[in-house]
Amino acid sequence: MFKLFFGVFCSLLCFSTFANTVKEDVEKILSGYLTSSQSRGLMDKLERNLPYSSSLDTARVKTVKCWFYDPQNDNNYIALNDLLTDANQAIKKAGSPKLKLDLQTCQAFHLYQQGKVSTATSMAKNVISATSKNPELYYQHATANLILGIIFRSQGSYQQAFLAFQQAYNTFEQGDFSYDKALILKEIGLIHADLHNFSLAEEQLQRAINELTNYNEQEWYIATDSLAQAYEAQGNYQKAIVLYSSILPAVTKYEDDEGNAYLLFKIAQINIQLNELQEAKQYLNKARDLTLNSEWIKFIQSITTAEWLIKKGRLDEAELLYLDFEQNSSQVWSVDSLTRFLEFKRELAVQKNNYQQEALAQRELLKIADRKVQEIADNTLLSQRLAFDWEQQKREITRLQESSEVKEQLLNLADEKAFWQIASLLFSIGLILILAYITYKQTQHKQRFKTLALKDELTGIANRRAIFAFKYNAIKKASF
């Protein structure tokens, strides 16, 4: 009997501990303290134990797994859709509204990555609508706003993105989620950088970096990379190269070959701008042993090498690379890539005294510049206004909080005063009742003692004292 009881007790204890471990492991994955490899390792451990005795734990694991998907082909998308189906079934069985909203937020993010922006936006807004009036769902509300802000920023809808990020930040702040707040600060900094307001971008990105140093190293260097890009965009190459160099060990540690190569080329490019050609060459050489497959990173390698060759005066080799670029000119380049190519084309023409080519390149650069000038001016004003509005709102919130605190203190004082007034009134009424009762009793006793003094207690006949009193009163009346 004892063995049976002990076995049942151990089973319950072990199940409880295991269940708690699942919840704790999921929270660790979302905490921000783990790197991507650590999170993936923990996720693999949780997956190996599926399904769990607890349907809620099964739903937790399948929901958080959604965030680990990065579909690159049709097979990946099929696997993701299968996971979403399984996760929805598990959540339905567990009966967890929170997990359902978490999964919808993740699904909205994947829809956005697939280019289904309208559907993703609608789904994120539905989550926000479902959580807006429930304080227990503030984390789901904030996460959906974060995804919505990312979607708006990708569309260039900066004001809507800013408002979504602001809402997410304020909601995360209520729950004291420092990691998530830091991520929001980074996103807001990127908005200001997009809007060419670099002073505000630097301020927000630096705040994010300061917060993220307490969490995983990857988020820290991603935010630092964003700040370095902001410095680079405004021509502050010295600060940019210091930041890029500071994150190189971490990038080498965590990123694949193409991620490492991108940073090496970036540092080489800035060294070329600073005429540190020997330094630039060292970084270009470091990238030679890396495996580069994407056309985008190959272009970065070629254009950086071409810039270095011009600076070194090796014009024939630079021209060969120029011809390669011309052959691929039909491909769709980003504005930044096209601008960089045209600047290289112009510099090459200047060095070779090809005035016609120089004029063509200069004309194209002016077209791009003309399109940017008004956009930059408008965006900078928008950035300043958004920041001003947010500061105004924060001050208004602070003022309202202070006013509310003062009102609450006054209300507490009024309540306390009313309490003592009521207590004093009750005490006075009680004291009056006690005094009235004592007076009544004294009157009764006085009357009784008077009766005892004038009458015989046994017969009730007036005694000698009563006769003398009667006689005294009679004489007194007769004298008048």
Side-chain angles (χ1 to χ4, degrees), residues 3-15:
K3 289 182 179 180
L4 177 62
F5 173 78
F6 182 75
V8 172
F9 176 77
C10 277
S11 299
L12 291 172
L13 180 62
C14 292
F15 172 75

Side-chain angles (χ1 to χ4, degrees), residues 153 158 185-195 201 205 226:
R153 178 175 168 251
Y158 296 114
L185 290 174
K186 182 184 74 174
E187 295 295 336
I188 292 174
L190 291 174
I191 286 181
H192 290 307
D194 290 343
L195 298 176
L205 289 170
S226 298

Side-chain angles (χ1 to χ4, degrees), residues 18-32:
F18 188 68
N20 288 336
T21 300
V22 171
K23 183 179 179 181
E24 290 169 3
D25 285 347
V26 169
E27 289 174 351
K28 284 180 184 177
I29 290 172
L30 300 174
S31 68

Side-chain angles (χ1 to χ4, degrees), residues 43 47 50 58 61-69 76-90 103 106 110:
M43 188 70 238
E47 279 190 276
L50 283 171
T58 300
V61 174
K62 290 189 175 183
T63 300
V64 77
K65 185 182 176 183
C66 173
W67 294 102
F68 284 82
Y69 273 81
N76 294 147
Y77 287 123
I78 292 171
L80 174 60
N81 289 330
D82 290 341
L83 169 69
L84 291 172
T85 301
D86 291 343
N88 273 310
Q89 291 175 351
L103 188 66
C106 181
H110 284 296

